[in-house]
Amino acid sequence: ASKAFSLYANIDILRPYFDVEPAQVRARLLESMIPVKMVNFPQKIAGELYGPLMLVFTLVAILLHGMKTSDTIIREGTLMGTAIGTCFGYWLGVSSFIYFLAYLCNAQITMVQMLSLLGYGLFGHCITLFVTYNIHFHSLFYIFWLGVGGLSTLRMVAVLVSRTVGHTQRLILCGTLAALHMLFLLYLHFAYHKVVEGILDTLEGPNVPPFQRVARDIPVVSNALLNTTAKAAALTL
């Protein structure tokens, strides 16, 4: 037991996954936006986690900025906890799910390679959200969603296609990854982004005064009837 504990507690186990030069990370960031054309042989996937981990933390910071500027209210928890849980939950959860599908479809990919591939695929999400959180136009978001987000998704799909044999397996694996990746970007934009109120005023017209409640159930009684009733009561007494 002591040998097993010392083995897993040794920091040198994680050293190969984070031993990377900044120039290599920069090159891999650029490559994550360029889909590969040759899918006849397995494409190389970087087996390191430094770049993907930094991208996830960058996405957390951008998402936190978006929640603060849009006055998002979190009823349970904090903004930081929500951002970290959302980003890391997607990265780890979807990577595990796609790795499970890849195992069923006989794709040649490891868990570390899947984490690296999906982590670098978040580079397009970071660019899109950083621009659209500061420039509030939904048309601009859709352009970046299809352009930047689509390029990073095509890159991951092309790599998985090169490592999967069979048309049905490719369709299931790559279709699932593409749908989850693109829908996650839509979720991050619309769940933590506030529509500019000036655009709503332009579309819906000027501001309407707040609704005032009126007691509609009480019948209107004339003053003459009230006076007659009061006199009759006085004579009776």
Side-chain angles (χ1 to χ4, degrees), residues 20 22 36 39 44 47 65 68 87 90 98 109 113 143 145 148 152 163 184 186 197 199 201 206 215:
V20 61
V36 295
V39 295
K44 184 179 179 181
H65 167 69
K68 286 184 177 180
C87 298
Y90 171 78
I98 297 299
I109 190 171
Q113 290 176 336
I143 293 174
W145 179 65
V148 181
S152 62
R163 290 175 168 265
F184 180 65
L186 284 176
E197 295 179 355
I199 299 178
D201 294 339

Side-chain angles (χ1 to χ4, degrees), residues 45 98-99 102 107-111 113-114 117 159-160 163:
I45 302 176
I98 297 299
Y99 174 72
Q108 301 176 5
I109 190 171
T110 62
M111 185 60 188
Q113 290 176 336
M114 190 65 238
L117 182 64
V159 172
L160 286 181
R163 290 175 168 265

